[in-house]
Amino acid sequence: MGKAKRKQLKENASRKLITKAAFSRHISSLSVHSDEEIWECCSTVFPSMKDIHKHVALNHIDKVQQKAKLLQFSEPCKKIRAPNADLCLSNTNVTDFKCSCVNKGFQVLLFYHYVSITCCQEVCTWQKDLGSTLKLTGKIRIASEGINGTVEGCQCATNIYKNNILGHPLFIAMTTKDFKSSKGNGQSFDNLSVSVCPELCTIGIPCDSLKASNGGKYLSPEELHQTMENLQKVSSDKKDPLLLDCRNFYESKIGYFEGALKPDLRKFSYFPEYVDSNKNVFNGRKVIMYCTGGIRCERASAYLKQATNCEEVYQLKGGIHRYMEKYPTGYFKGKLFVFDNRYSIGGQDSSVVSNCQYCNKPHDSYQLCSTQHCRQLVLICEKCRNSGHTTCCLLCKKDAAKVSETKQCTCTRNRLRIPVEHDS
Ligand SMILES: [Zn+2]
Ligand SMILES: [Zn+2]
Ligand SMILES: [Zn+2]
Ligand SMILES: [Zn+2]
Ligand SMILES: [Zn+2]
Protein backbone atom coordinates (compact mmCIF):
# COMPACT_ATOMS: atom_id res chain seq x y z
CA MET A 1 0.00 0.00 0.00
CA GLY A 2 1.33 3.44 -0.93
CA LYS A 3 2.00 6.19 1.58
CA ALA A 4 -0.72 8.43 0.14
CA LYS A 5 -3.26 5.64 0.19
CA ARG A 6 -2.47 4.84 3.83
CA LYS A 7 -2.80 8.50 4.76
CA GLN A 8 -6.14 8.62 2.98
CA LEU A 9 -7.38 5.56 4.89
CA LYS A 10 -6.24 7.05 8.20
CA GLU A 11 -8.03 10.31 7.48
CA ASN A 12 -11.20 8.47 6.52
CA ALA A 13 -11.09 6.48 9.74
CA SER A 14 -10.64 9.58 11.88
CA ARG A 15 -13.43 11.38 10.01
CA LYS A 16 -15.70 8.43 10.67
CA LEU A 17 -14.85 8.55 14.38
CA ILE A 18 -15.53 12.26 14.58
CA THR A 19 -18.87 11.90 12.79
CA LYS A 20 -19.78 9.12 15.18
CA ALA A 21 -18.87 11.27 18.18
CA ALA A 22 -20.82 14.21 16.75
CA PHE A 23 -23.81 11.97 16.19
CA SER A 24 -23.90 10.72 19.77
CA ARG A 25 -23.30 14.28 21.01
CA HIS A 26 -26.31 15.44 19.06
CA ILE A 27 -28.44 12.60 20.38
CA SER A 28 -27.51 13.34 23.98
CA SER A 29 -28.32 17.03 23.45
CA LEU A 30 -31.88 15.90 22.66
CA SER A 31 -32.14 13.97 25.90
CA VAL A 32 -35.02 15.21 28.04
CA HIS A 33 -33.74 13.92 31.34
CA SER A 34 -30.20 12.88 32.16
CA ASP A 35 -31.28 9.73 33.97
CA GLU A 36 -33.96 8.46 31.64
CA GLU A 37 -33.85 7.20 28.12
CA ILE A 38 -36.23 9.74 26.59
CA TRP A 39 -35.45 12.13 23.75
CA GLU A 40 -37.31 15.00 22.17
CA CYS A 41 -36.98 16.39 18.67
CA CYS A 42 -39.32 18.17 16.26
CA SER A 43 -41.93 18.37 19.05
CA THR A 44 -42.03 14.59 19.26
CA VAL A 45 -41.01 12.41 22.18
CA PHE A 46 -38.89 9.36 21.37
CA PRO A 47 -38.89 6.74 24.10
CA SER A 48 -36.41 4.45 22.40
CA MET A 49 -32.76 4.92 21.44
CA LYS A 50 -33.35 3.18 18.13
CA ASP A 51 -36.12 5.57 17.09
CA ILE A 52 -34.27 8.77 17.92
CA HIS A 53 -31.20 7.50 16.06
CA LYS A 54 -33.34 6.78 13.03
CA HIS A 55 -35.07 10.16 13.24
CA VAL A 56 -31.80 12.08 13.41
CA ALA A 57 -30.19 10.03 10.65
CA LEU A 58 -33.13 10.72 8.36
CA ASN A 59 -33.86 14.36 9.18
CA HIS A 60 -30.94 16.09 10.85
CA ILE A 61 -27.74 14.77 9.38
CA ASP A 62 -26.84 18.38 8.48
CA LYS A 63 -26.73 19.30 12.17
CA VAL A 64 -24.49 16.33 12.87
CA GLN A 65 -22.13 17.39 10.08
CA GLN A 66 -22.00 20.89 11.55
CA LYS A 67 -21.04 19.48 14.94
CA ALA A 68 -18.48 17.19 13.36
CA LYS A 69 -16.83 20.18 11.71
CA LEU A 70 -16.55 21.94 15.07
CA LEU A 71 -15.08 18.85 16.69
CA GLN A 72 -12.61 18.38 13.87
CA PHE A 73 -11.57 22.00 14.18
CA SER A 74 -10.89 21.73 17.89
CA GLU A 75 -9.40 18.24 17.84
CA PRO A 76 -5.67 19.25 17.88
CA CYS A 77 -6.22 20.85 21.30
CA LYS A 78 -5.57 17.49 22.91
CA LYS A 79 -1.95 17.56 21.90
CA ILE A 80 -1.09 21.24 21.75
CA ARG A 81 0.46 22.56 24.92
CA ALA A 82 0.51 26.11 26.22
CA PRO A 83 0.17 28.80 25.00
CA ASN A 84 -1.92 27.52 22.10
CA ALA A 85 -4.16 25.38 24.23
CA ASP A 86 -6.09 28.35 25.59
CA LEU A 87 -6.96 29.37 22.04
CA CYS A 88 -8.73 26.07 21.62
CA LEU A 89 -10.32 26.45 25.01
CA SER A 90 -11.84 29.82 24.16
CA ASN A 91 -13.97 27.74 21.83
CA THR A 92 -16.27 26.93 24.70
CA ASN A 93 -15.98 30.07 26.80
CA VAL A 94 -19.08 31.71 28.18
CA THR A 95 -18.47 35.44 28.46
CA ASP A 96 -21.87 36.68 29.43
CA PHE A 97 -24.37 35.06 31.75
CA LYS A 98 -27.81 36.07 32.84
CA CYS A 99 -29.90 33.65 34.85
CA SER A 100 -32.95 32.49 32.94
CA CYS A 101 -34.29 30.00 35.45
CA VAL A 102 -38.06 29.54 35.48
CA ASN A 103 -38.00 27.81 38.82
CA LYS A 104 -35.68 29.21 41.42
CA GLY A 105 -33.74 26.52 43.10
CA PHE A 106 -30.22 25.24 43.34
CA GLN A 107 -28.61 22.19 41.91
CA VAL A 108 -25.40 20.42 42.85
CA LEU A 109 -23.52 18.60 40.09
CA LEU A 110 -21.06 15.83 40.81
CA PHE A 111 -18.83 14.51 38.04
CA TYR A 112 -15.46 13.07 37.17
CA HIS A 113 -13.69 11.83 34.10
CA TYR A 114 -10.40 10.04 33.71
CA VAL A 115 -8.57 11.27 30.62
CA SER A 116 -4.96 12.22 30.02
CA ILE A 117 -4.60 16.02 30.27
CA THR A 118 -1.36 17.71 29.29
CA CYS A 119 -2.55 21.31 29.53
CA CYS A 120 -3.75 21.28 33.17
CA GLN A 121 -3.08 24.98 33.78
CA GLU A 122 -5.14 25.99 30.75
CA VAL A 123 -8.01 23.76 31.78
CA CYS A 124 -7.76 25.28 35.26
CA THR A 125 -7.97 28.83 33.91
CA TRP A 126 -10.87 27.90 31.67
CA GLN A 127 -12.73 26.29 34.59
CA LYS A 128 -12.10 29.30 36.84
CA ASP A 129 -13.47 31.67 34.20
CA LEU A 130 -16.42 29.47 33.38
CA GLY A 131 -17.29 28.84 37.02
CA SER A 132 -17.10 32.45 38.12
CA THR A 133 -19.02 33.72 35.07
CA LEU A 134 -21.79 31.27 35.91
CA LYS A 135 -21.60 32.24 39.61
CA LEU A 136 -20.93 28.66 40.64
CA THR A 137 -19.43 27.56 43.93
CA GLY A 138 -17.73 24.28 44.70
CA LYS A 139 -14.52 22.37 44.19
CA ILE A 140 -12.93 21.40 40.90
CA ARG A 141 -9.73 19.37 40.71
CA ILE A 142 -7.67 18.93 37.58
CA ALA A 143 -4.82 16.46 37.30
CA SER A 144 -2.84 14.82 34.53
CA GLU A 145 -5.26 11.88 34.96
CA GLY A 146 -8.49 13.88 34.49
CA ILE A 147 -11.05 16.13 36.12
CA ASN A 148 -13.22 15.85 39.24
CA GLY A 149 -15.76 18.37 40.42
CA THR A 150 -18.72 19.23 42.61
CA VAL A 151 -20.38 22.53 41.82
CA GLU A 152 -23.52 24.32 42.92
CA GLY A 153 -25.50 26.94 41.07
CA CYS A 154 -28.95 27.77 39.74
CA GLN A 155 -30.47 25.25 37.33
CA CYS A 156 -29.67 27.13 34.14
CA ALA A 157 -26.09 27.85 35.23
CA THR A 158 -25.34 24.23 36.07
CA ASN A 159 -26.86 23.20 32.73
CA ILE A 160 -24.68 25.63 30.80
CA TYR A 161 -21.69 24.40 32.78
CA LYS A 162 -22.48 20.79 31.95
CA ASN A 163 -22.92 21.53 28.24
CA ASN A 164 -19.64 23.43 28.13
CA ILE A 165 -17.74 20.50 29.52
CA LEU A 166 -19.52 18.12 27.14
CA GLY A 167 -18.69 20.45 24.28
CA HIS A 168 -14.99 20.49 25.03
CA PRO A 169 -12.81 18.28 22.84
CA LEU A 170 -10.87 16.97 25.85
CA PHE A 171 -14.02 15.46 27.28
CA ILE A 172 -15.35 13.97 24.08
CA ALA A 173 -15.94 10.59 25.72
CA MET A 174 -18.20 12.06 28.42
CA THR A 175 -21.99 11.96 28.25
CA THR A 176 -24.77 13.53 30.32
CA LYS A 177 -24.78 10.30 32.32
CA ASP A 178 -21.41 11.23 33.81
CA PHE A 179 -23.10 14.04 35.74
CA LYS A 180 -24.98 13.24 38.91
CA SER A 181 -27.23 15.91 40.31
CA SER A 182 -28.85 16.57 43.66
CA LYS A 183 -30.85 19.37 45.19
CA GLY A 184 -28.75 22.22 46.55
CA ASN A 185 -29.52 24.95 49.06
CA GLY A 186 -27.43 27.80 47.67
CA GLN A 187 -24.96 27.43 50.52
CA SER A 188 -23.40 24.05 49.93
CA PHE A 189 -20.00 25.68 49.37
CA ASP A 190 -18.44 28.89 50.65
CA ASN A 191 -16.64 29.69 47.40
CA LEU A 192 -15.32 28.27 44.15
CA SER A 193 -11.98 26.54 44.30
CA VAL A 194 -10.32 25.28 41.13
CA SER A 195 -6.91 23.68 41.42
CA VAL A 196 -4.37 21.55 39.63
CA CYS A 197 -3.48 18.54 41.81
CA PRO A 198 -1.12 15.57 41.58
CA GLU A 199 -4.10 13.16 41.82
CA LEU A 200 -7.88 13.56 41.45
CA CYS A 201 -8.37 11.78 44.79
CA THR A 202 -5.33 11.60 47.00
CA ILE A 203 -4.50 7.95 47.48
CA GLY A 204 -0.79 8.82 47.66
CA ILE A 205 0.44 6.97 44.58
CA PRO A 206 1.50 8.81 41.40
CA CYS A 207 -1.02 8.73 38.53
CA ASP A 208 1.40 6.84 36.30
CA SER A 209 1.94 4.05 38.84
CA LEU A 210 -1.73 3.41 39.62
CA LYS A 211 -4.15 3.84 36.77
CA ALA A 212 -7.93 3.94 36.77
CA SER A 213 -7.82 1.94 33.55
CA ASN A 214 -6.58 -1.04 35.61
CA GLY A 215 -9.54 -0.80 37.99
CA GLY A 216 -12.13 -3.42 38.81
CA LYS A 217 -14.98 -4.48 36.55
CA TYR A 218 -17.97 -2.14 36.58
CA LEU A 219 -21.16 -3.27 38.22
CA SER A 220 -24.34 -1.34 37.42
CA PRO A 221 -26.77 -0.38 40.21
CA GLU A 222 -29.12 -3.03 38.82
CA GLU A 223 -26.42 -5.71 38.96
CA LEU A 224 -25.48 -4.78 42.51
CA HIS A 225 -29.14 -4.84 43.53
CA GLN A 226 -29.53 -8.32 42.09
CA THR A 227 -26.37 -9.47 43.86
CA MET A 228 -27.64 -8.07 47.16
CA GLU A 229 -30.92 -9.86 46.66
CA ASN A 230 -29.08 -13.15 46.17
CA LEU A 231 -26.82 -12.48 49.17
CA GLN A 232 -29.86 -12.16 51.43
CA LYS A 233 -30.70 -15.79 50.67
CA VAL A 234 -27.29 -17.08 51.75
CA SER A 235 -27.19 -18.09 55.39
CA SER A 236 -23.48 -18.74 56.00
CA ASP A 237 -21.29 -16.16 57.75
CA LYS A 238 -18.70 -15.82 55.05
CA LYS A 239 -20.78 -14.36 52.28
CA ASP A 240 -19.35 -14.01 48.83
CA PRO A 241 -18.97 -11.54 47.23
CA LEU A 242 -17.57 -9.31 49.93
CA LEU A 243 -18.82 -5.73 49.89
CA LEU A 244 -16.13 -3.18 50.64
CA ASP A 245 -16.92 0.43 51.51
CA CYS A 246 -13.85 2.43 50.53
CA ARG A 247 -14.99 5.70 52.09
CA ASN A 248 -13.84 7.17 55.41
CA PHE A 249 -15.29 5.98 58.72
CA TYR A 250 -17.44 9.07 59.27
CA GLU A 251 -19.07 8.56 55.88
CA SER A 252 -19.99 4.90 56.32
CA LYS A 253 -21.15 5.62 59.86
CA ILE A 254 -24.37 7.33 58.72
CA GLY A 255 -25.14 5.16 55.70
CA TYR A 256 -23.96 1.90 54.14
CA PHE A 257 -24.91 -1.27 52.30
CA GLU A 258 -26.02 -3.93 54.72
CA GLY A 259 -23.29 -6.44 55.46
CA ALA A 260 -20.48 -4.35 53.96
CA LEU A 261 -16.99 -4.21 55.41
CA LYS A 262 -16.49 -0.60 56.52
CA PRO A 263 -12.82 0.13 57.32
CA ASP A 264 -12.29 2.52 60.21
CA LEU A 265 -10.15 4.88 58.12
CA ARG A 266 -9.76 8.62 58.59
CA LYS A 267 -8.32 9.33 55.18
CA PHE A 268 -8.53 7.81 51.74
CA SER A 269 -4.74 7.91 51.50
CA TYR A 270 -4.56 5.22 54.22
CA PHE A 271 -6.41 2.79 51.98
CA PRO A 272 -3.36 1.14 50.34
CA GLU A 273 -1.77 0.52 53.74
CA TYR A 274 -5.07 -0.86 55.01
CA VAL A 275 -5.19 -3.32 52.12
CA ASP A 276 -1.56 -4.33 52.74
CA SER A 277 -2.30 -5.03 56.40
CA ASN A 278 -5.44 -7.03 55.65
CA LYS A 279 -4.58 -9.12 52.61
CA ASN A 280 -5.97 -12.28 54.19
CA VAL A 281 -9.42 -10.68 54.27
CA PHE A 282 -9.39 -10.27 50.49
CA ASN A 283 -7.32 -13.14 49.13
CA GLY A 284 -9.38 -15.60 47.13
CA ARG A 285 -12.55 -13.53 47.45
CA LYS A 286 -14.78 -11.73 45.03
CA VAL A 287 -14.88 -8.12 46.21
CA ILE A 288 -17.38 -5.42 45.27
CA MET A 289 -16.17 -1.94 46.11
CA TYR A 290 -18.32 1.15 46.39
CA CYS A 291 -17.94 4.82 47.27
CA THR A 292 -19.99 8.03 46.90
CA GLY A 293 -19.94 8.63 43.15
CA GLY A 294 -17.51 6.00 41.93
CA ILE A 295 -14.33 8.04 41.59
CA ARG A 296 -12.45 6.68 44.59
CA CYS A 297 -13.12 3.08 43.57
CA GLU A 298 -11.51 3.62 40.16
CA ARG A 299 -7.94 3.61 41.45
CA ALA A 300 -8.58 1.97 44.82
CA SER A 301 -9.91 -1.11 43.02
CA ALA A 302 -6.82 -1.09 40.81
CA TYR A 303 -4.73 -1.13 43.99
CA LEU A 304 -6.74 -3.96 45.54
CA LYS A 305 -6.25 -5.95 42.34
CA GLN A 306 -2.50 -5.49 42.23
CA ALA A 307 -1.84 -5.90 45.97
CA THR A 308 -3.93 -8.98 46.77
CA ASN A 309 -5.01 -12.26 45.23
CA CYS A 310 -8.68 -11.43 44.99
CA GLU A 311 -10.57 -13.77 42.73
CA GLU A 312 -12.30 -10.80 41.14
CA VAL A 313 -12.66 -7.09 41.92
CA TYR A 314 -15.77 -5.14 40.96
CA GLN A 315 -16.69 -1.49 41.42
CA LEU A 316 -20.14 0.07 41.61
CA LYS A 317 -20.55 2.30 38.57
CA GLY A 318 -21.79 5.76 39.60
CA GLY A 319 -21.42 4.87 43.27
CA ILE A 320 -24.08 5.06 45.97
CA HIS A 321 -25.38 8.22 44.30
CA ARG A 322 -26.62 6.34 41.23
CA TYR A 323 -27.79 3.35 43.26
CA MET A 324 -29.97 5.57 45.47
CA GLU A 325 -31.50 7.28 42.44
CA LYS A 326 -32.50 3.90 41.08
CA TYR A 327 -33.42 2.25 44.39
CA PRO A 328 -34.38 4.95 46.92
CA THR A 329 -35.56 2.28 49.34
CA GLY A 330 -33.11 -0.44 48.33
CA TYR A 331 -30.23 -2.05 50.20
CA PHE A 332 -28.43 1.18 51.01
CA LYS A 333 -29.43 2.10 54.55
CA GLY A 334 -29.23 5.57 56.06
CA LYS A 335 -27.89 8.73 54.42
CA LEU A 336 -25.26 9.45 51.84
CA PHE A 337 -22.45 11.61 53.21
CA VAL A 338 -21.33 14.47 50.94
CA PHE A 339 -18.28 16.71 51.27
CA ASP A 340 -20.06 20.04 51.44
CA ASN A 341 -22.06 22.08 53.92
CA ARG A 342 -25.08 19.81 53.50
CA TYR A 343 -23.10 16.89 55.03
CA SER A 344 -25.59 14.34 53.75
CA ILE A 345 -28.24 13.79 51.11
CA GLY A 346 -30.92 11.26 50.26
CA GLY A 347 -32.44 8.91 52.71
CA GLN A 348 -35.94 8.48 51.30
CA ASP A 349 -35.54 5.28 53.20
CA SER A 350 -36.18 6.77 56.63
CA SER A 351 -33.80 4.45 58.47
CA VAL A 352 -31.30 6.11 60.78
CA VAL A 353 -28.29 3.85 61.23
CA SER A 354 -26.16 5.92 63.61
CA ASN A 355 -26.59 7.27 67.13
CA CYS A 356 -26.00 10.34 69.22
CA GLN A 357 -22.62 9.81 70.86
CA TYR A 358 -23.91 11.02 74.24
CA CYS A 359 -27.38 9.50 74.72
CA ASN A 360 -27.16 6.79 72.06
CA LYS A 361 -30.53 7.64 70.53
CA PRO A 362 -30.81 7.38 66.71
CA HIS A 363 -29.25 10.45 65.13
CA ASP A 364 -27.52 11.07 61.80
CA SER A 365 -27.07 14.76 61.14
CA TYR A 366 -23.51 15.91 61.50
CA GLN A 367 -22.27 19.10 63.06
CA LEU A 368 -18.79 20.30 63.90
CA CYS A 369 -17.15 19.94 67.31
CA SER A 370 -17.51 23.39 68.86
CA THR A 371 -13.82 23.60 69.80
CA GLN A 372 -12.13 26.14 67.56
CA HIS A 373 -9.24 24.02 66.34
CA CYS A 374 -10.86 20.61 66.42
CA ARG A 375 -13.82 21.07 64.08
CA GLN A 376 -14.30 17.39 63.53
CA LEU A 377 -17.67 15.93 62.64
CA VAL A 378 -19.82 14.92 65.58
CA LEU A 379 -23.20 13.26 65.97
CA ILE A 380 -24.92 14.98 68.87
CA CYS A 381 -28.69 15.19 69.12
CA GLU A 382 -30.60 18.40 69.80
CA LYS A 383 -31.37 17.46 73.39
CA CYS A 384 -27.79 16.63 74.36
CA ARG A 385 -26.57 19.72 72.56
CA ASN A 386 -28.96 21.87 74.56
CA SER A 387 -27.69 20.37 77.77
CA GLY A 388 -24.17 21.48 76.95
CA HIS A 389 -22.63 18.59 74.99
CA THR A 390 -21.14 20.26 71.94
CA THR A 391 -17.68 18.71 71.68
CA CYS A 392 -16.31 15.42 70.36
CA CYS A 393 -14.56 14.45 73.60
CA LEU A 394 -13.67 15.61 77.10
CA LEU A 395 -10.32 17.06 76.12
CA CYS A 396 -12.08 19.31 73.65
CA LYS A 397 -14.58 20.36 76.32
CA LYS A 398 -12.26 20.87 79.27
CA ASP A 399 -9.05 21.94 77.68
CA ALA A 400 -9.88 23.38 74.31
CA ALA A 401 -6.67 25.39 74.29
CA LYS A 402 -4.64 22.17 74.19
CA VAL A 403 -6.27 21.05 70.97
CA SER A 404 -4.54 22.77 68.12
CA GLU A 405 -3.93 21.95 64.53
CA THR A 406 -0.92 19.88 65.51
CA LYS A 407 -2.17 18.34 68.76
CA GLN A 408 -5.03 15.94 68.24
CA CYS A 409 -7.86 15.47 70.69
CA THR A 410 -8.44 12.19 72.54
CA CYS A 411 -10.84 10.61 70.07
CA THR A 412 -8.54 11.18 67.12
CA ARG A 413 -5.47 10.03 69.03
CA ASN A 414 -7.20 6.82 70.12
CA ARG A 415 -8.18 5.83 66.62
CA LEU A 416 -5.82 3.30 65.03
CA ARG A 417 -4.17 4.72 61.95
CA ILE A 418 -4.44 1.46 60.04
CA PRO A 419 -7.05 -0.88 61.52
CA VAL A 420 -6.59 -4.64 61.23
CA GLU A 421 -9.74 -6.67 60.61
CA HIS A 422 -10.24 -9.74 62.77
CA ASP A 423 -11.62 -12.99 61.46
CA SER A 424 -14.95 -13.35 63.19
ZN1 LIG B 1 -36.18 16.22 14.69
ZN1 LIG C 1 -30.54 30.36 36.43
ZN1 LIG D 1 -28.24 12.70 72.50
ZN1 LIG E 1 -13.25 18.10 69.25
ZN1 LIG F 1 -12.15 14.57 70.36
Side-chain angles (χ1 to χ4, degrees):
M1 200 189 299
K3 223 181 191 174
K5 172 97 177 159
R6 216 176 303 155
K7 196 178 164 212
Q8 182 65 41
L9 278 177
K10 214 173 155 193
E11 268 171 19
N12 283 349
S14 101
R15 198 168 309 133
K16 244 188 197 164
L17 261 178
I18 288 171
T19 310
K20 214 176 146 194
F23 194 89
S24 71
R25 272 293 159 74
H26 186 68
I27 299 281
S28 68
S29 74
L30 301 172
S31 163
V32 176
H33 192 268
S34 60
D35 307 321
E36 281 170 86
E37 309 244 296
I38 302 173
W39 297 265
E40 198 185 325
C41 191
C42 301
S43 311
T44 313
V45 170
F46 296 86
S48 106
M49 175 87 96
K50 213 174 122 198
D51 293 340
I52 186 68
H53 271 235
K54 211 168 162 187
H55 173 83
V56 169
L58 285 174
N59 305 289
H60 305 295
I61 213 66
D62 52 324
K63 279 186 194 156
V64 174
Q65 300 296 7
Q66 260 173 22
K67 259 189 194 151
K69 239 182 214 160
L70 271 176
L71 283 177
Q72 201 161 20
F73 170 72
S74 44
E75 187 69 356
C77 174
K78 271 186 199 166
K79 285 142 208 155
I80 296 173
R81 296 177 68 96
N84 289 347
D86 52 1
L87 279 178
C88 307
L89 295 169
S90 65
N91 217 0
T92 52
N93 261 0
V94 176
T95 48
D96 197 26
F97 169 68
K98 237 179 144 185
C99 174
S100 63
C101 284
V102 187
N103 299 312
K104 292 288 163 200
F106 290 90
Q107 191 173 40
V108 176
L109 287 183
L110 180 69
F111 69 96
Y112 72 85
H113 186 59
Y114 279 96
V115 62
S116 164
I117 300 179
T118 50
C119 46
C120 289
Q121 275 312 330
E122 285 75 15
V123 173
C124 182
T125 309
W126 165 55
Q127 284 289 306
K128 270 184 188 158
D129 289 347
L130 184 61
S132 58
T133 307
L134 294 172
K135 298 184 176 68
L136 301 178
T137 57
K139 287 188 198 108
I140 299 160
R141 286 166 75 102
I142 297 133
S144 63
E145 61 179 353
I147 188 168
N148 172 23
T150 322
V151 294
E152 176 174 59
C154 68
Q155 307 268 350
C156 74
T158 48
N159 275 335
I160 295 173
Y161 179 75
K162 184 163 72 180
N163 287 331
N164 267 267
I165 291 191
L166 289 174
H168 194 282
L170 257 182
F171 307 115
I172 192 157
M174 284 183 90
T175 71
T176 49
K177 288 207 166 119
D178 289 309
F179 291 83
K180 300 156 194 99
S181 67
S182 59
K183 210 167 165 279
N185 55 19
Q187 295 167 331
S188 301
F189 301 92
D190 301 328
N191 52 27
L192 176 71
S193 120
V194 187
S195 51
V196 176
C197 310
E199 300 168 83
L200 288 185
C201 292
T202 310
I203 199 168
I205 302 171
C207 299
D208 290 342
S209 313
L210 187 67
K211 290 192 171 132
S213 53
N214 293 329
K217 289 183 183 163
Y218 288 120
L219 216 59
S220 68
E222 291 82 357
E223 287 167 320
L224 178 70
H225 195 74
Q226 188 59 53
T227 308
M228 293 294 290
E229 219 152 75
N230 296 340
L231 271 177
Q232 302 301 308
K233 295 173 197 147
V234 181
S235 56
S236 85
D237 286 344
K238 235 188 174 148
K239 293 185 176 181
D240 221 42
L242 169 71
L243 253 87
L244 173 62
D245 195 318
C246 71
R247 301 172 300 156
N248 301 325
F249 77 90
Y250 51 86
E251 301 176 74
S252 55
K253 200 180 207 172
I254 61 165
Y256 49 78
F257 280 106
E258 280 172 290
L261 175 60
K262 311 183 290 287
D264 195 10
L265 293 172
R266 272 174 57 212
K267 288 180 178 174
F268 182 54
S269 56
Y270 295 168
F271 185 80
E273 224 177 305
Y274 168 78
V275 169
D276 291 347
S277 308
N278 290 282
K279 285 184 184 174
N280 57 323
V281 176
F282 305 109
N283 285 339
R285 308 277 313 260
K286 281 186 191 132
V287 180
I288 301 176
M289 294 179 67
Y290 68 87
C291 63
T292 313
I295 186 169
R296 277 178 279 182
C297 286
E298 298 268 5
R299 290 175 77 224
S301 63
Y303 188 82
L304 189 66
K305 264 172 75 178
Q306 77 175 43
T308 67
N309 291 316
C310 284
E311 191 190 316
E312 194 65 75
V313 177
Y314 299 91
Q315 53 176 324
L316 176 59
K317 176 107 180 145
I320 302 161
H321 209 296
R322 277 280 182 260
Y323 179 87
M324 276 176 103
E325 286 167 16
K326 192 91 197 177
Y327 304 100
T329 56
Y331 291 106
F332 185 82
K333 298 294 169 207
K335 295 211 172 75
L336 173 58
F337 183 91
V338 289
F339 287 91
D340 59 60
N341 297 334
R342 296 172 299 168
Y343 293 135
S344 68
I345 57 170
Q348 217 166 306
D349 176 326
S350 56
S351 57
V352 175
V353 299
S354 52
N355 305 311
C356 164
Q357 68 176 79
Y358 286 99
C359 70
N360 221 27
K361 287 207 176 105
H363 184 71
D364 66 2
S365 44
Y366 273 120
Q367 273 170 302
L368 297 176
C369 168
S370 58
T371 300
Q372 188 65 31
H373 290 293
C374 177
R375 313 295 280 167
Q376 68 176 298
L377 293 164
V378 289
L379 289 169
I380 303 169
C381 76
E382 191 77 30
K383 211 174 154 200
C384 291
R385 194 163 278 279
N386 287 338
S387 61
H389 296 298
T390 59
T391 61
C392 61
C393 59
L394 270 177
L395 185 70
C396 270
K397 191 181 175 74
K398 286 208 176 118
D399 224 342
K402 276 198 181 154
V403 181
S404 68
E405 270 157 53
T406 45
K407 277 213 186 81
Q408 295 170 330
C409 70
T410 321
C411 37
T412 307
R413 220 183 309 138
N414 287 349
R415 188 176 298 281
L416 274 180
R417 188 166 165 272
I418 307 296
V420 176
E421 308 293 350
H422 297 284
D423 258 331
S424 50

